[in-house]
Amino acid sequence: MGKTLFDKIWEAHVVTQAEGGIEVLYIDRHLIHEVTSPQAFDGLRQRNIAVFRPRQTVATADHNVPTRDQHLPISEKLSRFQVEKLTENCAAFGVDLYGLGHPYQGIVHVIGPELGITQPGMTIVCGDSHTSTHGAFGCIAFGIGTSQVEQVLATQCLLQKRPKRMRITIDGQLQAGVLSKDIILYVISKLTASGGTGHFVEYAGSAIRSLSMEARMTICNMSIEMGARGGLIAPDETTFEYVRGREFAPKGAAFDAAVQYWRSLYSDDDAVFDTEYHYRAEDIEPMVTYGTNPGMGIGISQAVPASPETGSAQTYEKSLAYMGLQSGEHLAGKAVNYVFIGSCTNSRIEDLRIVADYVRGKQKASNVHAMIVPGSKQVEAQAKAEGLDAIFREAGFDFREPGCSACLGMNEDKIPAGEYCVSTSNRNFEGRQGPGARTILASPLMAAATAIAGRIVDVREFLN
Amino acid sequence: MKKFNTLISSAVPLPIEEVDTDQIIPARFLKATTREGFGDNLFCDWRYLPDGSPRPEFILNNPLYSGQILVAGRNFGCGSSREHAAWALADFGFLVVVSSFFADIFRGNALNNGLLPVQVSADFLHAIFSAIETNPKAAFEVDLERQTFTIISTGQSEHFEIDPYKKMCMINGYDDIDFLLSLKEKITAFEQTRLPKA
């Protein structure tokens, strides 16, 4: 029987079998940030042990950093302390840090790929659930807790039970105005927020193959939002061309040898998946969420469903009450005062170009506060080099410095209570963007169109 | 890690589904650099009003309910990988969380902190909620060795699954890291077999 892409990579990383089907999985690359690592370093200190392979861990500061005046000391005391702690820990344990002020600083899942740290066939972990992003390169990449961060620092390994394999195939051609963000919101709306639990997902099909690396990252990024540990896409020419020449990618003959290996990373024709789903790209509309988990999404032409297809009525009603929405209501036309463009889901240069193309020569609606937060210093620099920052400014958008920002509201970038925010981020949980904030997840194009109109629109009606 | 074997306790009911880790501990409380003290902010935005006073209707503020077991709706712990969610529940005093479905990362984080996730059938979860509704002080028995959860008042009992390795760790108070550190020679040998190095 053939093997899945997932099994090929997994089996190449099993150090040994432990009891009860548990495997010791070797981790090629470990990414850390300020929020989920301090307790892990303290654990090493208590045991008096070093980081086992410090060259295989890379650190950045992203979750907790301000997105203005990054050249100044962080004004919020606890945030500053946490970022300083990361700096101390990296220095003490010999880990490379791309902290504030470094030209490589940025959201951990943006910098890994853009620096070529992320490469096909690797195992990659990080104390952050959106580590699934890196699966876009044909990696096994997944989020871990802090106890596991400590394990990887100490041994470069994790104890893991092999998950089930799922394949989601999307064939066909996307409509104009529909982006990869809409694909993944559509899939999650079909599978629910728990439909992928226990699985690793491979995304396949002609619609996936035609996507750029950045668009693929958006899809893999949100695998966790249906409960899956991770998602991955078989590497192809698009992948190799993206990786080629990046800072930490292999060079010359080493790159050619690597590509030869990467070409073997695909699911065999007779590979068997535990679960399979098929969707048609043509069926996917621009998506918006209406509830308080990412499974609660609808096409922009649809109304908020009357009752939950799965789950309890009590939870559903609680969710709609929080959002101030009612069954049967359409989101199109709804006034929105906040737009957030950013996060590890949609803050890469292509996302910014899509927004700039749409808003060029237009002006945001007067009721809207529109914030654009680039994913990294490199994205920020590229945007400036292309003059996108000027386009954003002229359209009345607030172009910030990189970080996780209003995706999770750990820093001061919060949405006020009761306000709607059309957001390109990944989670519409209660209070995610600030206590009482009401998040509507959407693509960068839908977010841009909302900012210009001052209300939610079907962006397809505004395309030339 | 603390050892866990058996527990007899009343339980706190939270009959809400899809409880994500942002609800268990909102991100703005993740700035601490130790594992302690997160219990004060457990379920903060459900538990307290914006002015900091307790929301009377939230279950943790109702003196009728107490105990070291939290019983919650399906897909408990979805979302962010923050281990702070498990720390907050344990710091508050919970030893067991019961649900009909757990998110993967939360389940692992709980087990790594001596907080036992007990997954029961939807029907049995309903029976547990009913028992608490009948008597808020209803007692339950968790027996990890036998892998059973029992409603003492009715005698109803259900077997729950747990990975044999994690069960051994919980009963003996072992951490994964102890085991992994014992494998360092094997790990080094494995690294040397990997050419070209990925």
Side-chain angles (χ1 to χ4, degrees), chain B:
Chain B
M1 197 169 80
K2 272 189 297 187
K3 294 179 184 181
F4 186 99
N5 207 319
T6 58
L7 172 71
I8 294 178
S9 172
S10 55
V12 178
L14 187 67
I16 298 168
E17 301 181 334
E18 318 277 355
V19 175
D20 58 76
T21 54
D22 274 85
Q23 306 318 310
I24 300 171
I25 184 84
R28 62 187 186 279
F29 300 115
L30 307 186
K31 297 182 186 188
T33 55
T34 63
R35 291 175 195 240
E36 291 78 35
F38 290 101
D40 291 346
N41 294 311
L42 176 69
F43 294 116
C44 183
D45 293 340
W46 289 353
R47 191 168 151 200
Y48 301 107
L49 292 162
D51 68 4
S53 60
R55 275 183 206 271
E57 70 275 17
F58 187 62
I59 201 78
L60 293 184
N61 297 322
N62 187 334
L64 266 183
Y65 302 95
S66 62
Q68 293 166 297
I69 302 171
L70 178 70
V71 186
R74 76 182 301 285
N75 204 22
F76 187 82
C78 58
S80 158
S81 61
R82 61 190 69 168
E83 195 163 310
H84 312 64
W87 299 338
L89 288 160
D91 191 60
F92 185 81
F94 290 116
L95 296 175
V96 173
V97 185
V98 182
S99 178
S100 56
F101 195 95
F102 287 97
D104 287 333
I105 302 178
F106 175 80
R107 182 200 297 270
N109 287 341
L111 286 166
N112 283 338
N113 286 279
L115 175 70
L116 181 67
V118 172
Q119 185 163 326
V120 297
S121 66
D123 287 346
F124 195 74
L125 186 73
H126 185 72
I128 297 169
F129 283 133
S130 297
I132 302 172
E133 202 174 316
T134 307
N135 174 15
K137 297 291 175 206
F140 304 91
E141 183 182 26
V142 187
D143 187 329
L144 178 55
E145 186 61 55
R146 290 170 54 224
Q147 295 178 229
T148 54
F149 188 94
T150 306
I151 306 172
I152 293 176
S153 58
T154 65
Q156 285 169 280
S157 189
E158 195 170 89
H159 182 83
F160 63 85
E161 294 300 324
I162 180 169
D163 189 272
Y165 166 77
K166 294 310 293 188
K167 177 178 173 179
M168 183 273 291
C169 288
M170 289 282 291
I171 288 174
N172 295 297
Y174 294 161
D175 293 326
D176 284 356
I177 195 163
D178 298 323
F179 178 64
L180 285 168
L181 285 167
S182 75
L183 296 176
K184 270 203 173 166
E185 280 182 27
K186 270 192 181 173
I187 296 167
T188 304
F190 174 83
E191 285 176 325
Q192 282 157 9
T193 65
R194 301 183 74 229
L195 290 171
K197 201 167 177 304

